[in-house]
Each structure stands twice: as structure tokens, then as C-alpha cells.
């Protein structure tokens, strides 16, 4: 993409995507909502794209913006440069020591035939044609690319992938995807009673709070099954709850939630408000409902 900043590229791609779906003039607020930026910032960047001949505009209540033919030519073969060359290549769900310095998306206007050229560093002998690999999330664009290797050039340090999936992780705060109803358990509650609550509410885990709503731990259906398997049918919640609770702020981005789930190998995070009150739990399922098709990204 022609010497565009990461923000210009992000806004142009969002506008093109919106226009392709609706075939009408696009408002700056629509673009701002999609990428999670301030509308004023988006308008300023759109003005710079207009100067470059990539966008046309129409004033008035029925006006808006549309991409030009030059815009489509510009994004046909976009080049993405990861920050500090620290983007890793994943194979079979595991991170490799191969680092990606440049990504070129080939023929993006042809959804049935997308190819991606990766310029990399590292030992390419660990890879072979036919391997399924994954890249991302890529900084700024938050793009995740999955594909099958169809060509390896060790001398030029290049890989070509046949893309099977290309997904952009939306910018969404955790508080916008959790259930508003907080289900909590008491520490002295019998596991049998806790199991009934979890079953009735259709959930697989809940925080354990004391009378002052202080967090003591978290109990999941897996913990209950373990207790019953061990024959402890009269055990209490405190006997089997996990006390090392991993939490996240309700205003944090879902990207942060995904990273925490990966780092700590957990399927749910306790959500804490700005005043340090427990407001709910965010789970892998909550995230998957927001981002279709990312099961392997968070080890579902």
C-alpha cells in the first residue's frame, strides 16, 4: 500500500469494506465505530486520503465517502510491516522461532484465491510445503492470517501461503461482551448446591465471594466433577475452588483477554470494574461469539 501510515491504511481498508458491503456513501462515524477510533481523528485521516486521491466525498445529510479506483489499486497488494520484526509464525498451534519482517497480501480483491507472501528470518528447513501455519494478530490491523504453505524460497527467505482464513479482531471492550447478570457462589456452600446453580444458569464457572463481596476464588464444573469423582459428595466450595484467580479490567480490550487466556491457559477471566468490584466473567465462548472462527487462537 503506497506509503500510507498504519492509521491511514486501517481507515482506508475499513471504508472499502463498508462500501463493498453496502454500495452507498459511508459516514465517518461508521468507520470510527468499526475500528474503535475517535470520529474526529477519522475525519482528519479521511481528509488526507482524499488529498491522495483515494477517497471521494459528497457533503450534506445524504453525503459521505466512497473509495476511488485508485484506492482499489492501492489495496490490491498491501504490504504490512510488523513492529520490530517480532511477529512469529505458528505451526500446528505452536510458536516457531521464525520471525516475520514483511507481509504482502496478493490479489486481495479475489476472495477465492488469496495468497500471502511472507518475508521471514529463521530456519526454514523446519517447514515444508503443505504445512498449515498462522500469523498474527498483526499490530494495528489486528489481522490473523491462516494458510497452507505452497512455496518455500530459503535463499530469499520467503514463504507463500494459500490463505484459508483471514480474520480481523475487532476493538471491543470486555464489558461489552460479558453477561450483565453476575452469578456468584458463597464459600461455605456445598458443591451439590453450587452444581445446581451452575446447571440452572447454564454456565461452567462462577466467582466465589464473601459477604463483603471480596473475591476468594473461582469454581468451575471441572472442579465439581473432580470432587465427585473423588467421592467427596459433601465437600464445600472452599474445598475445591481455585484461589489463583486471573482477572481483567472491564474496560480492557478483548485482545488483552485473549492474551491472558493464552498466557495462563485458562478459559475464563474474572472481570473487575474501575472501582475494583467484580462485575462478571468473560469466557472463551463470549469471545468466540464476538469473533467467529478463532477457536484455535484461544485454545478452545
Amino acid at each position: 500500500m503506497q506509503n500510507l501510515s498504519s492509521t491511514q491504511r486501517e481507515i482506508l481498508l475499513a471504508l472499502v469494506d463498508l462500501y463493498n458491503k453496502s454500495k452507498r456513501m459511508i459516514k465517518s462515524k461508521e468507520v470510527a465505530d468499526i475500528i474503535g477510533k475517535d470520529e474526529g481523528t477519522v475525519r482528519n485521516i479521511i481528509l488526507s486520503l482524499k488529498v491522495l486521491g483515494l477517497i471521494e466525498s459528497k457533503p450534506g445529510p445524504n453525503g459521505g465517502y466512497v473509495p476511488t479506483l485508485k484506492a482499489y489499486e492501492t489495496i490490491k497488494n498491501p504490504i504490512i510491516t510488523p513492529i520490530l520484526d517480532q511477529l512469529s509464525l505458528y505451526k500446528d498451534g505452536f510458536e516457531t522461532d521464525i520471525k516475520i519482517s514483511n507481509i504482502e497480501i496478493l490479489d486481495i480483491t479475489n476472495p477465492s484465491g488469496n495468497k500471502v507472501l511472507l518475508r521471514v528470518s529463521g530456519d526454514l528447513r523446519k517447514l515444508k510445503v503443505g504445512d498449515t501455519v498462522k500469523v498474527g494478530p498483526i499490530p494495528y490491523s489486528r489481522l490473523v492470517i491462516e494458510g497452507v504453505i505452497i512455496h518455500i524460497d530459503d535463499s530469499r527467505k520467503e514463504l507463500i501461503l494459500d490463505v484459508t482464513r483471514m480474520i480481523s479482531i475487532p476493538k471491543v471492550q470486555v464489558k461489552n461482551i460479558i453477561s450483565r447478570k453476575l452469578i456468584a457462589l458463597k464459600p461455605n456452600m456445598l458443591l451439590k448446591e453450587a452444581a445446581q446453580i451452575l446447571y440452572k444458569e447454564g454456565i461452567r464457572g462462577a466467582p466465589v465471594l464473601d459477604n463483603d463481596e471480596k473475591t476468594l476464588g473461582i469454581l468451575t464444573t471441572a472442579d465439581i466433577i473432580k470432587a465427585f469423582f473423588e467421592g467427596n459428595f459433601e465437600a464445600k466450595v472452599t474445598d475445591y475452588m481455585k484461589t489463583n484467580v486471573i482477572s481483567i479490567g472491564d474496560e480492557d480490550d478483548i485482545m488483552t483477554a485473549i492474551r491472558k487466556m493464552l498466557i495462563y491457559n485458562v478459559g475464563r477471566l474474572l472481570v473487575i470494574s474501575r472501582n475494583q468490584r467484580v462485575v462478571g466473567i468473560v469466557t472463551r465462548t463470549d469471545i468466540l461469539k464476538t469473533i467467529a472462527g478463532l477457536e484455535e487462537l484461544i485454545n478452545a
Side-chain angles (χ1 to χ4, degrees):
M1 194 175 285
Q2 63 167 65
N3 297 323
L4 297 182
S5 70
S6 58
T7 304
Q8 286 177 316
R9 178 173 60 241
E10 183 180 29
I11 289 173
L12 181 60
L13 288 173
L15 190 143
V16 169
D17 184 55
L18 286 168
Y19 179 76
N20 287 343
K21 291 176 179 177
S22 62
K23 299 300 181 184
R24 59 170 174 78
M25 304 292 284
I26 305 300
K27 304 290 186 181
S28 57
K29 185 178 186 308
E30 294 178 271
V31 177
D33 289 343
I34 286 290
I35 65 175
K37 290 188 182 296
D38 177 73
E39 186 182 358
T41 300
V42 170
R43 280 199 299 266
N44 288 330
I45 297 298
I46 283 179
L47 181 61
S48 70
L49 295 173
K50 185 178 177 182
V51 171
L52 293 172
L54 301 174
I55 290 176
E56 292 180 350
S57 64
K58 176 183 176 182
N62 296 321
Y65 304 94
V66 293
T68 63
L69 289 176
K70 184 179 178 181
Y72 283 96
E73 284 299 315
T74 299
I75 68 172
K76 185 174 182 180
N77 297 308
I79 296 175
I80 304 169
T81 303
I83 297 177
L84 302 178
D85 299 345
Q86 291 303 302
L87 196 63
S88 297
L89 187 76
Y90 288 79
K91 176 187 172 185
D92 299 326
F94 296 95
E95 184 177 6
T96 70
D97 58 3
I98 295 172
K99 302 298 181 181
I100 300 162
S101 60
N102 199 271
I103 303 170
E104 184 173 354
I105 302 176
L106 309 174
D107 199 10
I108 197 171
T109 57
N110 179 13
S112 64
N114 278 358
K115 303 290 186 295
V116 169
L117 172 67
L118 305 179
R119 293 185 175 87
V120 302
S121 61
D123 187 1
L124 296 187
R125 292 175 298 177
K126 299 177 181 179
L127 303 175
K128 65 180 184 299
V129 171
D131 283 346
T132 296
V133 296
K134 180 174 70 68
V135 180
I138 299 168
Y140 295 109
S141 69
R142 301 161 68 98
L143 201 64
V144 177
I145 300 171
E146 185 179 282
V148 177
I149 298 176
I150 60 174
H151 181 73
I152 301 175
D153 189 332
D154 198 9
S155 62
R156 296 172 61 89
K157 294 296 182 182
E158 292 180 348
L159 302 174
I160 296 181
L161 308 184
D162 186 8
V163 176
T164 53
R165 281 195 295 184
M166 191 180 297
I167 306 166
S168 182
I169 300 177
K171 294 182 179 179
V172 180
Q173 290 183 325
V174 169
K175 65 182 178 182
N176 293 323
I177 68 172
I178 63 173
S179 170
R180 292 293 91 196
K181 182 181 179 182
L182 174 62
I183 307 299
L185 304 174
K186 294 298 182 182
N188 291 324
M189 184 181 290
L190 291 176
L191 286 182
K192 289 186 289 188
E193 186 181 352
Q196 290 175 345
I197 293 173
L198 297 184
Y199 177 77
K200 179 182 176 182
E201 298 295 337
I203 57 178
R204 293 189 290 178
V208 182
L209 308 180
D210 64 14
N211 292 332
D212 297 322
E213 295 192 350
K214 178 183 177 182
T215 305
L216 301 177
I218 188 169
L219 184 79
T220 69
T221 52
D223 300 322
I224 297 173
I225 291 171
K226 178 184 177 182
F228 290 171
F229 180 79
E230 293 175 350
N232 296 326
F233 300 106
E234 299 302 319
K236 295 182 179 180
V237 167
T238 49
D239 296 329
Y240 280 87
M241 70 180 186
K242 294 182 179 69
T243 56
N244 56 333
V245 181
I246 310 302
S247 64
I248 190 169
D250 66 342
E251 295 183 354
D252 284 345
D253 190 273
I254 62 171
M255 182 84 82
T256 304
I258 290 173
R259 290 194 181 112
K260 281 199 170 186
M261 288 180 179
L262 282 169
I263 291 170
Y264 295 104
N265 191 28
V266 294
R268 52 187 51 79
L269 303 169
L270 203 63
V271 182
I272 309 295
S273 67
R274 186 178 293 180
N275 60 5
Q276 297 303 303
R277 292 180 65 86
V278 179
V279 294
I281 286 181
V282 63
T283 67
R284 290 184 297 214
T285 301
D286 295 326
I287 294 175
L288 293 174
K289 286 179 180 178
T290 306
I291 316 167
L294 285 184
E295 292 88 347
E296 79 293 339
L297 185 62
I298 54 176
N299 296 334

